[in-house]
Each structure stands twice: as C-alpha cells, then as structure tokens.
Amino acid sequence: MPNIRLDKFISERTEYSRSQIKQLAAAGKIKVGDKIIKKADVKIDPETDTVEVCGQLVRSEKHRYILLNKPDGYVCSTEENDGPTVLGLVPPEMRTKGLFPAGRLDKDSLGALLITDDGELAHRMLSPRSHIPKIYIVKLDRPFENKYIDLFKNNIVLSDGETCLPAKLKPLEISEKLAFIEICEGKYHQVKRMFAAVGNHVEKLMRVSLGGLVLPEKLAFGECMELLHKDVENLFKFRDFESFCSEFSPVFSANLIK
Ligand code: URA
C-alpha cells in the first residue's frame, strides 16, 4: 500500500477533522511508533506504522465494521426523526465519521445489524441481486402450522400483490410459536407481511444471521462488537439453513425472544 499523509490516515479512521489533527499534532498528542510527530502532513506507511492520538491506538483498517445486537425501540437511520437511532448505541471508541446502518430492521425488530462506513461493501450487500440469506427467529401470535412450510417455499403473495422469493421455515421444538425463517430479499416489513399472508401475526422478530455472519451468543442486546474486513466477507459465504438451525443453541434461541 502506498504511503499516505498522517492527517488523512487519522481523519479516515477517527472522528477528528483535519484541523483538529493539526492542532493535536502541534500540541504533541500524536505519535508514530514511539516518536512524537508535530506536523500532521508527514507521510506514513498505513500497513506498518502504528499511530496513537492522545494515547489511543488508531486501527490500521480503513473501514469500520460493527455488529450490533439491535434492541427494541431504535430506528435504523442516521436521522433521529422517529426516535433514537442505532448509531447512538455505538460506543465512543468505535465511532468514526460516516457510519450508517447497512440494511434495515424495523424499530421493534431485534438482532444482527451491521453498521459501517464502507459504502462499497454496503452496496454489494444490499444490491437486490446479492440475495444474501437472512435468518430470523419469529415469535408468532398463534401456533406455527406445518402447511406454512410449503406455502413459503412456493412464493408467498403479499397483500399488495407483490410476490416473494421462496423462503425456508423450520419450527423450533421448544415452543409451538417459535420458528426460524430464511429469506433472501429485503422487502418492506417482509417477514411480518409474509406471516400476515398466511393468517398469522409476528409478535417478535429477531435476526440471527446475515449470510455467513452469525449473531454471537455473548453479544447482549444493545452491545456492539467490532469485526475485521475478513470477517465481514463471511456475509457473502452462505450457510446451509438446515444445519444452521440444528446448530443454533435452542436455549439461546428461547431466551432471545421471551
Ligand atoms: N422483516 C420484517 O418484517 N421486519 C424486519 O425488521 C425485518 C424483516
């Protein structure tokens, strides 16, 4: 990778503006390796140099990828028009300029949400042609019926006449109202509208995987974890639905949406 200016390196990876970086450098707050650097326009090697600002290491990866376990009541938006946004849940040490939620979960939906500043990756992920499978656990109002499995396989038609791509279903043994569903597209309120089309109602919805990215058990609601670019590429490596369902911890699943 070619050398780049220190101020560009820091501004792309933190919330500091170039003018703040200039002031911090002049104040002796920036280090490259073990040397204090007073001029922010010097060139550094982004792969091998370690940079610290105010004693905090600046990560070398250009983009940030954050997996949030979204709680109820937060909107997937960068604007606060309809309540608090998921961006408010990102802890200060993970914040950079230009973060946005890559994809949407409804305000009352829970689970795996990717937040990033990588527009190119988000575009690849959200393109209607990408068909990344997304797995949710649904809690239904009325018991799951086995006839849903074939109905969902054979293109559910929504109330407005839109046809869905085939979706996979698997009831959970621990409760007659819980099921896994896998869909490969992202229509507005899609899962809720699919169950409405077969006469049921989704009471709670939680996304547990996005492509090959699985929500870790240890990540509590409202918590974020940082991912590396190589982990995020798992988005594009799909997993088999049946084996996912059999491996996903039933105890964990039940606790997810009580
Ligand atoms: N389908 C829905 O109905 N809601 C979501 O948040 C995600 C998928």
Side-chain angles (χ1 to χ4, degrees):
M1 204 185 274
N3 287 357
I4 60 167
R5 278 175 57 137
L6 178 60
D7 52 1
K8 180 172 188 320
F9 175 88
I10 298 172
S11 77
E12 282 175 349
R13 291 160 178 78
T14 66
E15 288 201 292
Y16 296 117
S17 65
R18 293 249 186 148
S19 61
Q20 287 171 321
I21 295 164
K22 196 171 166 191
Q23 285 169 13
L24 287 165
K29 304 267 189 205
I30 299 184
K31 268 168 118 183
V32 176
D34 52 10
K35 274 204 199 115
I36 293 180
I37 302 290
K38 295 235 167 184
K39 292 192 74 123
D41 59 358
V42 297
K43 294 255 175 121
I44 62 149
D45 181 336
E47 281 190 352
T48 56
D49 284 320
T50 53
V51 177
E52 273 180 34
V53 180
C54 301
Q56 286 249 321
L57 191 66
V58 179
R59 77 217 145 82
S60 59
E61 285 213 324
K62 183 166 175 193
H63 290 295
R64 229 189 247 268
Y65 306 97
I66 296 164
L67 182 64
L68 166 71
N69 186 355
K70 181 192 171 299
D72 187 2
Y74 288 80
V75 286
C76 291
S77 161
T78 50
E79 310 283 325
E80 295 254 341
N81 298 338
D82 187 28
T85 81
V86 289
L87 296 180
L89 296 167
V90 177
E93 68 280 9
M94 290 188 197
R95 289 192 190 154
T96 39
K97 290 182 282 292
L99 285 178
F100 61 92
R104 275 179 182 273
L105 283 174
D106 299 336
K107 189 173 178 181
D108 61 355
S109 296
L110 315 166
L113 180 76
L114 185 69
I115 296 177
T116 184
D117 56 357
D118 186 346
E120 200 265 332
L121 178 117
H123 180 74
R124 251 196 318 146
M125 172 184 161
L126 301 173
S127 143
R129 273 171 296 140
S130 80
H131 297 311
I132 291 183
K134 292 168 277 257
I135 303 179
Y136 300 81
I137 295 181
V138 284
K139 183 174 183 188
L140 300 168
D141 204 20
R142 285 183 292 285
F144 182 89
E145 293 182 43
N146 280 329
K147 68 174 185 194
Y148 298 161
I149 296 176
D150 279 343
L151 291 170
F152 277 58
K153 211 190 280 171
N154 293 315
N155 308 91
I156 289 282
V157 179
L158 303 175
S159 57
D160 61 0
E162 261 195 291
T163 303
C164 298
L165 290 174
K168 295 178 186 164
L169 284 176
K170 175 118 188 146
L172 266 93
E173 278 167 18
I174 42 169
S175 159
E176 56 176 7
K177 291 186 179 174
L178 292 180
F180 287 108
I181 172 168
E182 181 187 81
I183 57 171
C184 300
E185 50 187 342
K187 299 185 195 303
Y188 180 66
H189 291 333
Q190 181 162 345
V191 174
K192 292 175 184 163
R193 290 160 73 214
M194 287 174 97
F195 278 99
V198 295
N200 210 321
H201 173 77
V202 172
E203 223 177 70
K204 280 192 184 175
L205 181 59
M206 173 160 194
R207 186 154 67 193
V208 288
S209 92
L210 272 167
L213 257 187
V214 180
L215 187 72
E217 276 192 48
K218 61 172 197 263
L219 200 65
F221 286 120
E223 273 184 10
C224 290
M225 67 183 272
E226 208 166 340
L227 304 174
L228 297 174
H229 186 267
K230 64 178 170 58
D231 301 325
V232 176
E233 282 298 321
N234 281 332
L235 271 173
F236 304 98
K237 296 183 194 142
F238 307 158
R239 297 184 48 153
D240 173 61
F241 178 65
E242 288 292 328
S243 46
F244 176 89
C245 298
S246 57
E247 285 161 25
F248 203 75
S249 154
V251 177
F252 178 45
S253 319
N255 285 333
L256 293 178
I257 42 184
K258 284 205 189 95

